[in-house]
Amino acid sequence: MPDHSGEQPVMRVGEERDGPVLILTLDYPARRNALAPALRAALLGILDRAEADPAVRAIVITGGGAHFCSGGDLSGMDVRTPLQGRERLRAAHQMIRLMVGGSKPVVAAVEGWAAGAGLSLACACDTIVAAEDAQFMAAFGKAGLMADLGLPHTLPLRVGHARARQILLYGEPVGAEEALRIGLVDRLAPKGQALAVALERARVLAAQAPAAVALTKQILSEGLHNALDQERHYQSLLFLTADHEEGKAAFFAKRAPNFTGA
């Protein structure tokens, strides 16, 4: 329901410290922590600050409430020119580059859904801890878009190209146990305990030699920059298609989209 109170919905990234571990909580309850541009900007700002802080040795990213992140915020996705699309992705890609290739190890604590951009965010982390009832999905095609935020690069590295094709092309949900079996997640936790297990893993990472961790992450991120450049070009074109407009309209009308290839 629309909010007629005049108050802006809560949209922030909470910060807590657990010794050398920085805990970041996506907090946008009105959209189940959808990764709106303002939320991405806030997350980027914190990650950039943490990158320069030697006291931060590891980072945990989680979602407030029942879900990790429901995806991109279609209500704020209004790209009208190629330059707008490229700028939208440029800012988002700064965040992904810091997560994948920056010096700080990052652990995702996933409860509920990690869908669309939420799956991209999780796969940009070094370790994914999921509650046993968590669900993962990459249904970008239903909005007339391709997977972004590095997912076409990071997902095959986790599950292999064949399984990545099935996840990206079909857009079907993957349960936590199946996600563990195929390598999409690294640890399972009881429902409600993903953050506790993620913190335990982050403390292990925080105890490692920082330079060794940083250089390991850097070498493992090889190929990311080229992948993001390609993604930025292709997705900017898709933002301008009639099928993307139809996908958004169908989402808000709660109906199946009628794509025409235009």
Side-chain angles (χ1 to χ4, degrees), residues 59-248:
I59 298 170
V60 172
I61 298 179
T62 191
H67 300 285
F68 179 71
C69 175
S70 63
D73 187 4
L74 287 179
S75 66
M77 199 173 291
D78 188 28
V79 176
R80 296 299 174 186
T81 70
L83 290 179
Q84 284 180 335
R86 289 180 65 80
E87 174 57 25
R88 181 186 180 94
L89 289 170
R90 183 195 65 79
H93 287 171
Q94 287 181 296
M95 176 185 73
I96 297 301
R97 286 187 171 97
L98 272 177
M99 292 177 66
V100 177
S103 66
K104 313 296 181 178
V106 188
V107 180
V110 179
E111 298 278 351
W113 280 97
L119 178 58
S120 302
L121 191 68
C123 285
C125 296
D126 300 291
T127 300
I128 302 176
V129 175
E132 58 193 4
D133 63 340
Q135 296 278 330
F136 300 84
M137 187 167 65
F140 294 86
K142 292 181 180 178
L145 298 173
M146 61 173 279
D148 58 15
L149 302 189
L151 192 62
H153 176 79
T154 57
L155 183 62
L157 292 176
R158 278 191 160 271
V159 304
H161 278 268
R163 287 196 176 101
R165 282 178 183 271
Q166 307 313 300
I167 293 170
L168 295 176
L169 293 177
Y170 285 91
E172 296 170 339
V174 179
E177 289 191 5
E178 175 68 1
L180 179 67
R181 187 185 72 81
I182 66 177
L184 178 54
V185 307
D186 303 297
R187 293 287 179 101
L188 291 187
K191 182 180 179 181
Q193 295 300 308
L195 178 56
V197 175
L199 267 173
E200 181 271 325
R201 301 312 294 160
R203 292 182 189 119
V204 173
L205 290 169
Q208 310 302 312
V213 169
L215 293 178
T216 299
K217 281 175 60 74
Q218 185 172 329
I219 200 167
L220 290 175
S221 69
E222 184 179 353
L224 175 69
H225 298 302
N226 286 340
L228 292 178
D229 286 344
Q230 280 190 306
E231 173 192 304
R232 188 180 178 195
H233 174 67
Y234 296 147
Q235 192 77 306
S236 295
L237 298 177
L238 291 171
F239 281 139
L240 304 179
T241 61
D243 276 351
H244 174 49
E245 289 300 316
E246 167 61 12
K248 287 193 296 184

Side-chain angles (χ1 to χ4, degrees), residues 36-48:
L39 202 63
R40 289 203 306 267
L43 186 55
L44 170 60
I46 297 168
L47 291 170
D48 192 46

